[in-house]
Amino acid sequence: MASRLRSFTNPTAFVGWCIYSAGMSDNDSSHQHEVPQPDEREGEAEAQGFRWAPGVTRADTTNLSGVQDVARRISEQIMGMIAAGDRIRELQQALVRAAAPPPVVQWDMSGIVEQLRQSARISSTLPQPDFGLDLGRILAANQRPWVGIVRAFKQALEQLIPDNLRDLAIDDLVKVFEINDQDGTSLAWAPRTSLVGELLHAADLEERGALLIAHVAEIADDIDASLAVVALPEHQDLKAMLLEATAALRAGLYRPAQAAACAAFDTVVNEHTLKFLAFTGKKTRDRTRNYFHPIEVGEWDEATFADVALVLVGAGIKTAFKHWDRGCGLKSFNRHGSAHHADDGAYSPAHAVRATLIAHATLRWLDDAVGAERDGEEAA
């Protein structure tokens, strides 16, 4: 056999002999011992009785590069499908936090293998697998796992947006951020969506303040309902203080409400949140406050979901902690003015509502964040 293979110095004759041998029947005794004996010269090989396999002409086997091109294209498509599998696995890893089961993706390579086998026998044009169609079949076969993943991913993203703001358009969410920033408050989780809509259409801080006072009882109820989810033991005293602040709001005791809310707000931001974020060194309190103000309005289109969640909850924190100068204090709610310049215009009924709103929002955010981190540590 080895000597016969070495005798085929012409590649065309060698391929022809392979095709002929592969096409012979094992039961065909008339051909079992008939082996072509090509010469180094192609013409003499044919003259000596060299025969092509039935149905195959020399033109079918002369283009060896065509076979190689087909094999190369198929190999490239296989590598492309493998790379696509890597991208799907990367997507699966990105959805781990959504706690969704990974899709069962099985690549069926039998068709590719068969085409490779056929390409070694004939040089006719082979059908190339369409990756788009293959991906469509994969998604169709795994429709239920994929739908579960998308649903869980959507739910995870929704958790980043407070429930009273989820039905708002993007432009309205930007306005919510602006109100938080301008007024030194928070509209996260309270008040209810309908009242948020009214605040979005108000002309300025004074008009928004009038709406807050007009709906103070509803807002107090919304804050109480939101505080009900604050569950960690270390936050219960602050929660009780804010519940007393909402009770004072209903009774029209705005200054006590603002004082209680301001104290709780200061403790949440400058003590509990600072420790949770593990900021150390100088000016750590400034870093804690700035943590909730990572983007500007002009950068909104490029913001991540995490950025959006932070500014919707706490964009007003930086405003509330701005320096207060006696005689020229800010119009927005201000923690420094409330604590150090109580007789200089820092107190008002509207600011009492704003203080209670932002204090409750930061406490709820912290309670959620700490609870989620502990759950993750236990799961690990």
Side-chain angles (χ1 to χ4, degrees):
M1 177 66 179
S3 61
R4 288 173 180 168
L5 290 177
R6 283 194 295 270
S7 70
F8 286 100
T9 58
N10 185 288
T12 301
F14 171 66
V15 173
W17 181 80
C18 291
I19 295 173
Y20 177 61
S21 298
M24 292 171 58
S25 171
D26 292 339
N27 297 324
D28 190 350
S29 58
S30 64
H31 294 138
Q32 280 183 346
H33 303 291
E34 186 174 347
V35 179
Q37 299 292 332
D39 192 49
E40 293 184 356
R41 291 171 299 177
E42 182 176 321
E44 293 182 10
E46 292 181 348
Q48 293 175 5
F50 176 81
R51 296 191 303 170
W52 303 103
V56 178
T57 66
R58 185 169 68 179
D60 292 326
T61 61
T62 55
N63 186 11
L64 290 176
S65 62
V67 177
Q68 295 172 347
D69 288 341
V70 172
R72 176 181 54 78
R73 288 196 300 269
I74 294 175
S75 298
E76 290 175 351
Q77 291 174 358
I78 293 174
M79 295 304 297
M81 296 176 76
I82 293 174
D86 292 338
R87 291 194 292 273
I88 291 176
R89 284 189 289 273
E90 292 174 1
L91 176 60
Q92 293 173 354
Q93 294 171 0
L95 298 178
V96 168
R97 292 184 179 178
V104 179
V105 181
Q106 297 179 349
W107 301 101
D108 183 7
M109 307 298 289
S110 59
I112 302 295
V113 173
E114 178 60 25
Q115 291 184 51
L116 287 172
R117 184 181 296 113
Q118 293 296 329
S119 70
R121 298 178 58 191
I122 61 175
S123 61
S124 60
T125 302
L126 297 175
Q128 299 185 24
D130 188 324
F131 177 69
L133 293 177
D134 290 342
L135 181 59
R137 285 193 291 269
I138 291 169
L139 295 178
N142 296 275
Q143 181 177 7
R144 185 168 299 176
W146 277 106
V147 169
I149 284 178
V150 173
R151 182 180 294 112
F153 188 53
K154 178 176 180 292
Q155 291 173 351
L157 293 180
E158 286 180 346
Q159 292 303 316
L160 295 174
I161 307 297
D163 50 13
N164 66 322
L165 305 177
R166 290 176 191 168
D167 294 334
L168 300 182
I170 295 296
D171 290 343
D172 289 337
L173 290 178
V174 175
K175 291 180 181 178
V176 168
F177 159 67
E178 292 175 335
I179 290 174
N180 290 349
D181 186 45
Q182 294 170 10
D183 295 10
T185 190
S186 178
L187 302 183
W189 296 295
R192 61 197 65 182
T193 306
S194 59
L195 183 51
V196 170
E198 292 186 49
L199 292 169
L200 294 179
H201 290 90
D204 51 28
L205 182 143
E206 286 74 17
E207 190 171 326
R208 289 191 292 270
L211 282 171
L212 294 177
I213 299 306
H215 297 276
V216 65
E218 300 169 44
I219 295 173
D221 291 343
D222 295 340
I223 292 173
D224 287 355
S226 180
L227 286 171
V229 306
V230 175
L232 297 181
E234 61 266 37
H235 297 153
Q236 295 309 302
D237 284 344
L238 293 168
K239 174 180 175 180
M241 186 178 293
L242 291 176
L243 290 174
E244 291 176 0
T246 58
L249 288 177
R250 293 188 189 91
L253 301 174
Y254 295 110
R255 290 182 178 179
Q258 183 170 338
C262 186
F265 173 56
D266 186 85
T267 303
V268 171
V269 174
N270 287 335
E271 297 296 330
H272 292 271
T273 302
L274 186 148
K275 292 178 181 178
F276 170 69
L277 297 177
F279 289 151
T280 59
K282 296 180 179 180
K283 297 185 177 181
T284 53
R285 291 184 177 182
D286 288 343
R287 292 182 64 192
T288 302
R289 300 161 193 165
N290 294 337
Y291 181 79
F292 293 89
H293 196 82
I295 60 174
E296 301 294 337
V297 175
E299 301 171 347
W300 190 268
D301 290 340
E302 299 178 358
T304 66
F305 278 103
D307 293 336
V308 171
L310 289 175
V311 298
L312 290 179
V313 171
I317 292 177
K318 187 174 181 179
T319 302
F321 278 97
K322 286 182 177 179
H323 182 70
W324 181 284
D325 290 322
R326 178 169 288 278
C328 56
L330 304 173
K331 291 184 177 180
S332 58
F333 162 67
N334 186 272
R335 174 265 173 198
H336 291 309
S338 301
H340 304 297
H341 301 281
D343 58 345
D344 191 35
Y347 277 74
S348 74
H351 285 343
V353 181
R354 292 184 178 113
T356 311
L357 283 169
I358 195 169
H360 126 270
T362 52
L363 178 63
R364 174 165 175 174
W365 176 88
L366 180 65
D367 195 79
D368 288 344
V370 175
E373 184 177 84
R374 290 178 182 174
D375 290 343
E377 291 175 352
E378 292 177 359

